């Protein structure tokens, strides 16, 4: 429902921002106020109040709704005009202000993220915003563009899987086209204010599906040419996923640290970062060296067309490893030098991101109160080390997995409130994924590494799904799902046990069965949740993935 003052003077896009943005229950600009279903009752109560007071009636309604406890979104208009003139002179001034600003130019400019990577900002957005406008004028939706981007990337992966030079060149071109469409869907949503929960979920998950499918396509193409790079492909996916979990975990741990009354920026590292951000060129260099999605996809596309899959993966591993070390080191320094406390919400988010299953829960119910992070690091190191140095099928690896269960379970026995406890989720991800990779390599039989790739992809989807649920404020997936999939420690123990009791030739089949089981359980529950009415809206505004 919307209320607009009859004397309103302003830009059409100012009204769009106030009246048609579905992400907020209540939204207002001067002279215009609108509510979604969630705030309808609050509006009805406000409308029953006596029509006293000064100013436009829409503004008074918005103030009354806000005073009653409903959050009213007031979008920043910048140069856009929204006013209710009190006289002819004011009206003439407002009309002149409207005429002085190109509404469409503002709409196009704000369709682009305010903070993005160098490649996206200077090589994609200057024209993709016009593609977004073209789509809007033809009635296309962001979800349709998102789906087109996915299909284009899958075709690119198929071309790469041919193992022919023409296929690699075509794959590189199509991957860039897919990225242009990937930028266009968000710009279309912002241009036309066509936000949706389903669209946010599709955009968040399809990026990973596109990239990891392309890795698989490159590995298949290389295999056709006699070069087995599945280990490099899986290693790239592991590194990328762990890097993202570091980002998510650190951000969730510090999202509301100021709520406890202490600064999260009062550290020498943060002060240096602020000073560097004041110098324009350093901002772009710092964004580029972490290899965000734009730079990463551009590098993959060019190297795919010009070189070989092995070189593509070497470049990915080196570049992403450097970016991960750079960002993680800075966050560790910030965490140990600043004074900030974890809130209950942050501690719960970290515990949910840990993805601890029933075995860890059993251990956590009787915690040893150990040095949580050091002992968790020890457990992960012993697990990965045993997998690396013991022969395939060794029972030592199973005992190492049992130790990992004990130490990782003890690590989550108390709420993770320590300054570095945000490292626990990425540590568990690295331990689980790397164990699967190493055991598949040690099996040394055809199909083991592709099966391991599928298993890690299925589990990684579950972890990304957990992140976006937490980001949306709806909490982690249901406990039954975590228990059914075993938690990270249960899957590590099961994989180690399978390697010990299953013949080498049957190990790929066992990994494939586990991958299919995890994928089916996770996907069914994830799709059910994200298409339900209670799903949160998740938007990555200004965050280069």
């Amino acid at each position: 429902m919307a209320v607009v003052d009859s004397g309103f003077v302003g830009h059409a896009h100012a009204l769009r921002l106030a009246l048609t943005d579905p992400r907020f229950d209540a939204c207002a600009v001067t002279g215009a106020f609108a509510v979604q279903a969630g705030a309808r009752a609050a509006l009805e109560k406000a409308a029953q109040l006596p029509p006293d007071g000064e100013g436009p009636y829409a503004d008074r309604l918005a103030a009354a709704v806000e005073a009653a406890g409903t959050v009213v979104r007031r979008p920043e208009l910048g140069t856009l005009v929204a006013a209710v003139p009190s006289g002819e002179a004011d009206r003439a001034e407002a009309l002149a202000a409207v005429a002085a600003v190109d509404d469409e130019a503002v709409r196009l400019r704000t369709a682009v993220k305010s903070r993005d990577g160098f490649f996206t900002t200077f090589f994609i957005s200057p024209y993709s915003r016009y593609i977004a406008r073209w789509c809007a004028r033809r009635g296309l939706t962001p979800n349709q563009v998102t789906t087109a981007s996915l299909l284009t990337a899958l075709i690119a992966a198929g071309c790469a899987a041919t193992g022919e030079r023409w296929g690699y060149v075509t794959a590189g071109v199509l991957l860039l086209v897919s990225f242009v469409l990937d930028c266009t869907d968000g710009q279309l949503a912002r241009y036309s204010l066509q936000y949706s929960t389903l669209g946010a979920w599709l955009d968040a998950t399809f990026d990973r599906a596109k990239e990891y499918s392309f890795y698989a396509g490159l590995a298949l193409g290389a295999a056709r040419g006699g070069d087995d790079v599945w280990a490099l492909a899986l290693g790239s996916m592991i590194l990328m996923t762990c890097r993202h979990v570091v980002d998510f975990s650190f951000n969730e741990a510090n999202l509301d640290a100021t709520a406890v009354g202490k600064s999260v920026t009062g550290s020498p590292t943060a002060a240096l970062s602020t000073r560097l951000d004041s110098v324009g060129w350093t901002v772009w260099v710092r964004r580029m060296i972490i290899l965000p999605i734009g730079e990463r996809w551009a590098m993959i596309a060019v190297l795919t067309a010009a070189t070989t899959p092995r070189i593509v993966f070497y470049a990915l591993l080196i570049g992403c490893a450097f970016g991960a070390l750079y960002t993680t080191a800075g966050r560790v320094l910030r965490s140990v030098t600043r004074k900030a406390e974890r809130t209950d919400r942050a501690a719960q988010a970290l515990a949910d991101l840990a993805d601890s299953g029933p075995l860890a829960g059993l251990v956590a119910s009787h915690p040893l109160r150990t040095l949580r992070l050091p002992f968790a690091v020890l457990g992960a190191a012993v697990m990965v080390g045993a997998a690396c140095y013991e022969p395939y099928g060794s029972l030592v690896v199973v005992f190492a997995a049992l130790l990992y269960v004990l130490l990782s379970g003890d690590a989550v026995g108390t709420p993770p409130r320590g300054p570095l406890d945000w490292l626990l989720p990425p540590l568990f991800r690295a331990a689980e994924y790397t164990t699967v990779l190493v055991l598949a390599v040690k099996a040394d039989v055809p199909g083991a590494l592709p099966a391991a790739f599928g298993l890690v992809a299925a589990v990684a989807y579950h972890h990304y799904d957990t992140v976006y649920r937490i980001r949306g404020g709806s909490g982690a997936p249901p406990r039954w799902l975590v228990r059914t999939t075993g938690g990270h420690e249960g899957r590590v123990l099961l994989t180690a046990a399978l390697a010990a009791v299953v013949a080498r030739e049957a190990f790929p089949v066992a990994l494939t069965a586990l991958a299919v089981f995890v994928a089916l359980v996770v996907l069914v529950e994830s799709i059910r949740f994200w298409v339900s009415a209670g799903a949160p809206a998740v938007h990555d505004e200004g965050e280069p993935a």
Side-chain angles (χ1 to χ4, degrees), residues 79-220:
T79 57
L80 294 176
V81 177
V84 179
S86 57
E88 287 302 319
D90 290 341
R91 182 175 180 81
E93 183 179 352
L95 289 172
V98 171
V101 176
D102 186 345
D103 175 280
E104 180 63 16
V106 173
R107 193 179 179 191
L108 277 171
R109 186 181 70 247
T110 55
V112 178
K113 284 183 178 181
S114 59
R115 182 178 180 272
D116 223 327
F118 180 86
F119 180 77
T120 305
T121 299
F122 294 102
F123 291 91
I124 304 296
S125 293
Y127 58 88
S128 61
R129 69 185 74 186
Y130 296 102
I131 299 176
R133 181 173 66 180
W134 183 90
C135 293
R137 290 177 175 177
R138 282 153 184 81
L140 297 177
T141 67
N143 290 355
Q144 291 171 332
V145 178
T146 301
T147 304
S149 175
L150 174 66
L151 293 175
T152 304
L154 293 179
I155 295 173
C159 291
T162 63
E164 303 288 340
R165 177 50 51 192
W166 70 265
Y168 290 142
V169 173
T170 304
V173 173
L174 289 177
L175 190 64
L176 288 177
V177 173
S178 174
F179 182 66
V180 171
L181 293 174
D182 182 58
C183 295
T184 300
D185 62 2
Q187 292 167 359
L188 174 58
R190 287 182 285 272
Y191 178 85
S192 57
L193 298 179
Q194 296 184 74
Y195 298 103
S196 70
T197 297
L198 178 61
W201 173 62
L202 292 177
D203 186 56
T205 56
F206 279 10
D207 278 352
R208 303 287 79 80
K210 289 180 285 189
E211 186 168 359
Y212 298 160
S213 296
F214 196 80
Y215 293 177
L218 284 174
L220 287 170

Side-chain angles (χ1 to χ4, degrees), residues 111 231 272 328 416:
L272 175 61
T328 304

Side-chain angles (χ1 to χ4, degrees), residues 370-426:
T370 60
L371 297 172
R372 176 166 43 217
L373 184 60
F375 274 51
V377 172
L378 175 63
V382 169
M383 180 66 251
V384 175
C388 288
Y389 292 105
E390 289 294 318
Y392 177 83
S394 172
L395 289 177
V396 174
V397 179
V398 178
F399 288 120
L402 288 171
L403 179 63
Y404 175 76
V405 170
L406 292 173
L407 294 180
S408 62
D410 185 61
V412 296
T414 54
R417 297 181 181 275
L420 293 177
D421 283 352
W422 55 271
L423 286 169
L424 287 172

Side-chain angles (χ1 to χ4, degrees), residues 313-360:
F313 287 124
Y314 281 153
L316 264 176
L317 288 168
I318 293 171
C320 291
F322 177 82
L325 288 173
Y326 171 79
T327 55
T328 304
R331 287 164 178 170
V332 168
L333 287 174
R334 290 190 184 197
S335 298
V336 299
T337 56
R338 67 186 173 192
K339 302 297 182 181
E341 297 177 4
R342 299 280 179 266
T343 62
D344 292 339
R345 186 217 61 82
Q348 184 59 52
L350 291 180
D352 292 335
L353 286 172
D355 190 34
S356 299
L359 294 178

Side-chain angles (χ1 to χ4, degrees), residues 34-49:
V35 298
Q36 304 289 334
R40 172 94 178 244
L43 175 62
E44 292 175 349
K45 290 181 180 179
Q48 294 171 5
L49 297 176

